[in-house]
Amino acid sequence: MKSYIQLISTHLPETFPSLLLHFDKARYLINCPEGTQRLCSTQSIKLSKLNTLLFTHLTWRNFGGLPGMLLTLTDSGVTSVKLAGCGVEDALSNCQNFVYRENVDVAVVEFSESEESTSSSSENGSSLVLDGFKDENITVIPIIVPHGEHTTSKKRKFENSISNEQSILKKAILSRMFPNKPAKINAEKASHTEPTLDVPQTPNISNMYIAESSISNLVQIKKDVIQYSPSAAVSMAGTRVKSANPPPLLSYIIRGPTIPGKFKPEIAKSMGLKPGPHFKTLISGTPVLSPTGILVQPSDCVDPPREGFMILVVDIPSKDYIRGLKERVTKEWAKLQVFEKCLVVFWNLRVDEEEIKSVCDMFQIAKHVINVPSKSAPPIFHSYTDFKHELNSINSSIFPIPYYNSLSPPSSTIKNGIVGASLLTVDLEPKFDVKLETSIPQYKPPTSNVSVAAVQADTKQKLWDRDDISLITLGTGSAIPSTYRNVSSTMVLFPSVPSTEDSTSRKAPGMSMLFDSGESTLGQIKRHFGDQYQSVLKNLKLLFISHLHADHHLGCISVIREWNELNRVNIGNGSEMGNEDKLVIICPSNFYSFLLDYQSQVEKFGLENCDVRVSKHEECFDVNSSEWMVQLRSVAVDHCFDSYGAVVVARAKALGIDNGDLKSDFEIDHTRTFKIVYSGDCRPTPALISHGRNATILIHEATLSDLKKAEAKMKKHTTMTECVQVGEEMLAKNLVMTHFSQRYSKFPDLDSYGLLDLIEERNNQAGDEKMKIAVAFDMMQIGIKDFKSFGKIARKLSDLYSEPEFD
């Protein structure tokens, strides 16, 4: 039986490493950070046999790709998934408002203290070994890596301090998120095992995906978490809430199955046995009487079985865990003969590798795969980066080259150490072998007379110096991430207003806004802006989440955390910002509930430093900025339950206008006063058209072609022609078409519907009487003045990249 383990990713710009263990009929994923799906898709790694996911730590860095992964797995036909770790129920049940799939069995294994370790701890001090699990392929032994505060304390009970009632409810939530068969939930008749709680009614997530659903037929899902009223939510956002005993950090010992001894047919034949049933009986371990009357024992013809492989996975996210690793975890490893038998250790570090050198020296035969940000080169999406180079050669302003590091990482200083690289493969059975050649090679850009670094730096400087707003379409695909289109996210970057009329130099970006934040949005920001991403993200003033579908918000927590860190907020000591400096988040009420629940029950990520407002139809919200007066109006749109578009008006403060005046209609000059409309996902919606009239830029979904109009109506999306019609009716000056179905991998077939001719005609006309149109690509940046340029290249883009569509 062949088995091997792959390092799927090193430290991505947005996440931690992950590993995939392969057997003939099963796959085991260890950690599932954001970006895992896209990496696997890009590298043609099949996940149809994935049936178990293990987590070393329940933080979003390790866990953020799981909700999307579960949705994709079940859509691909996987009917059974096991999730294992400490705190998995807490983390996953918090996703109840946007994760739902039928006909799938999701089993959660919460590791706990074994009876053996509990009884021995009173005599020998506390044991860190937990009860794991065993199946036909592997035995998993979890071992706690204690935090520095708890290294020498008495036995620390890590289980979350929840009542039996709460535990039952969490299991009930998970069973309703993933029912084994479609079933109607009767809100009035609960199981006798479920406590009855006096909580407000919440929409049934199973109906969120049904086009015909209406609020009147949505039913309650019971929740074990506190239901927050708007007033309570405001006060909770500034309150530090944490569980008494957060889930611990785990290391994993993973053992392979015992390998049967090799059968020696020559010896069996010499003892009078013939091939066939006799051989089969001996191999099964049963003695056989030969024709000559000799009782042949299995040991006569079969080598003794041998132990399967042993590997080790260790996460060290900070120096706080080094002491516990050295003083306590190593003792547990010694008892289990890890130092003698372990073949390979995968170290996922956020500390310098010198910190673990003394521990690595204790291993006798193990290879050490070192994943540390300072040495592990982040994986590069080669096909996509090649694509961006091609686009850059067509128009370098609209299509800047993403940042990447093509240099080989330095060697490890650890004995038997290997610096981790994406797709590095270690064969485990039948023969151990580290196969460095399987790693993704260092990216080599196409030959050019101009250095990539110079092009990148020049492009970003031009971005700062613009006097108009710029759109960066970070993710332009729908549903799931793919090679060329990540899921939804659009950034709007405002110019930094000069302090005097004759001052034109802008050394840094101005205010930025983010409309939706699909999985890996933070990584897209870092890849687009490179080292300058900090200046952009630090000035992020608004995060708007349109609705609860997972492809629009699974990158939100990573963005918020990074924003906090860049604004020098110490998340761990309870310090808070003043209201004027907080990040404004405008989102549906159930998404706010998710953020609050996750922060209070799983991990603190900085929500207390955000000013969160709940979207309501035609509600207006002010946004703080030192240079701009900004107001956002949320508008209910025709999609799923609680879906909103956004109409943003921004006016330079130098023009001397109060925010109150933004509520009334006034001239949008599109130079110092801008109107930006974002549709989210929706069918054409009259209210959004009305409120968005005379938009400077309309960012509207164009999920499907006209050939798929019936599907668009059923799923409540907009076709490409309908998207243009919405812009025309809105009298928008510029339109960006985005959120394409992944069937249009590079460029949609616009020519078949006359849209390509329209783009060329409109964008090449003098003046701005007619709406200009652009088709979004991932990490495209386009300002108002660039729409005419897009008209000149649209035909070439179509000729190169569009493919005919068939019904």
Side-chain angles (χ1 to χ4, degrees), residues 99 170 263 291 328 365 390 487 502 511 574 649 653 671 709 751:
V99 175
K170 286 192 181 296
F263 177 64
R328 300 191 61 200
I365 60 173
E390 294 175 12
V487 284
D502 58 352
M511 168 184 68
V649 176
K653 284 186 176 180
T671 56
K709 190 169 184 178
D751 206 16

Side-chain angles (χ1 to χ4, degrees), residues 409-428:
S411 301
S412 172
T413 60
I414 300 294
K415 180 183 177 181
N416 291 326
I418 303 164
V419 173
S422 287
L423 296 197
L424 181 149
T425 301
V426 179
D427 283 344
L428 301 171

Side-chain angles (χ1 to χ4, degrees), residues 144-157:
I144 297 174
V145 182
H147 191 277
E149 306 175 357
H150 310 289
T151 301
T152 58
S153 62
K154 294 182 179 180
K155 192 166 187 68
R156 176 172 172 255
K157 192 174 182 63

Side-chain angles (χ1 to χ4, degrees), residues 669-687:
D669 61 17
H670 311 294
T671 56
R672 301 292 288 277
T673 305
F674 302 104
K675 190 172 189 177
I676 302 156
V677 180
Y678 177 69
S679 70
D681 287 5
C682 65
R683 293 287 299 149
T685 302

Side-chain angles (χ1 to χ4, degrees), residues 496-506 627 654 672:
S496 179
V497 180
S499 56
T500 60
E501 289 298 324
D502 58 352
S503 174
T504 58
S505 179
R506 298 172 174 87
E627 297 180 330
R672 301 292 288 277

